[in-house]
Amino acid sequence: MAMTAYQYTLRALHYALLLSSQECWKCHRPTPVLGILVPTGHETRWVDDDPESSEWEPQESASLVSNISRLAPTVLDRAQSLSSHYGPGHTKTGGSYLLNSCAHCQVAQGDFFLYSEPDGAFFPTTPAGIANIQVIPIDEPFACCGDSSYGTISDELARRAW
């Protein structure tokens, strides 16, 4: 069944896939991880009682996207073509969503630790940490249900992408 626009809460005309590395919390080996960035002008919406009537609101900053519960199939296909360790999963603390798994021990690498903990793969605290993130711009539409995070890291990565 095809997904329709009202089934998403965030959309953009294009996006970027991010590749980095994170030490696995379980086996302590470095594992590749994938992230998503949307540009300035992406749109978000709050879902109310009638999701088809909700209005889209343009955003003035680029955003990292995490805790994705639903992703447009074309975006998921492209992400999984770059990382076979990205897909549906479950964490003890964050619930079920699309996430990275360790390439070595297959344990879920929760988005909180990648995006919200200082020195996480997508929350670097040094210029060298930001430089370690590979940015791959994708000129295709993006849509998901997920969380946005704004700040200097997403702005810097957006400058590299577009």
Side-chain angles (χ1 to χ4, degrees), residues 6 16 20 22 26 31 44 51 53 56 61 78-79 81 100 102 112 116 130 133 136 146 148 156-157:
Y6 70 84
S20 190
Q22 177 83 12
K26 177 133 183 150
T31 188
T44 60
S53 70
W56 290 94
S61 296
R78 184 163 306 268
S81 75
N100 291 276
C102 178
F112 177 82
S116 301
I130 292 174
I133 301 172
I136 304 166
S148 311
E156 175 60 31
L157 294 172

Side-chain angles (χ1 to χ4, degrees), residues 37-76:
L37 176 74
V38 291
T40 299
H42 70 277
E43 297 177 311
T44 60
R45 69 182 180 96
W46 295 101
V47 178
D48 56 19
D49 292 335
D50 181 6
E52 292 186 66
S53 70
S54 298
E55 292 192 26
W56 290 94
E57 214 176 297
Q59 301 301 310
E60 297 180 7
S61 296
S63 173
L64 293 165
V65 184
S66 61
N67 299 311
I68 298 172
S69 61
R70 182 178 298 130
L71 187 60
T74 55
V75 179
L76 180 58

Side-chain angles (χ1 to χ4, degrees), residues 5-157:
Y6 70 84
Q7 293 173 298
Y8 299 112
T9 58
L10 193 151
R11 68 183 182 187
L13 295 176
H14 55 275
Y15 63 101
L17 293 175
L18 308 173
L19 298 176
S20 190
S21 180
Q22 177 83 12
E23 180 182 306
C24 174
W25 64 268
K26 177 133 183 150
C27 73
H28 304 287
R29 295 170 70 184
T31 188
V33 291
L34 179 135
I36 298 176
L37 176 74
V38 291
T40 299
H42 70 277
E43 297 177 311
T44 60
R45 69 182 180 96
W46 295 101
V47 178
D48 56 19
D49 292 335
D50 181 6
E52 292 186 66
S53 70
S54 298
E55 292 192 26
W56 290 94
E57 214 176 297
Q59 301 301 310
E60 297 180 7
S61 296
S63 173
L64 293 165
V65 184
S66 61
N67 299 311
I68 298 172
S69 61
R70 182 178 298 130
L71 187 60
T74 55
V75 179
L76 180 58
D77 288 347
R78 184 163 306 268
Q80 289 179 325
S81 75
L82 290 175
S83 175
S84 60
H85 305 288
Y86 183 79
H90 181 79
T91 67
K92 291 180 181 179
T93 58
S96 297
Y97 55 92
L98 293 168
L99 51 75
N100 291 276
S101 296
C102 178
H104 309 287
C105 69
Q106 287 71 50
V107 168
Q109 305 297 301
D111 278 7
F112 177 82
F113 298 101
L114 298 177
Y115 292 91
S116 301
E117 279 291 310
D119 292 320
F122 304 115
F123 190 176
T125 58
T126 65
I130 292 174
N132 286 334
I133 301 172
Q134 181 182 0
V135 180
I136 304 166
I138 308 293
D139 192 19
E140 297 173 353
F142 175 86
C144 79
C145 287
D147 295 337
S148 311
S149 61
Y150 305 94
T152 56
I153 296 165
S154 53
D155 290 339
E156 175 60 31
L157 294 172

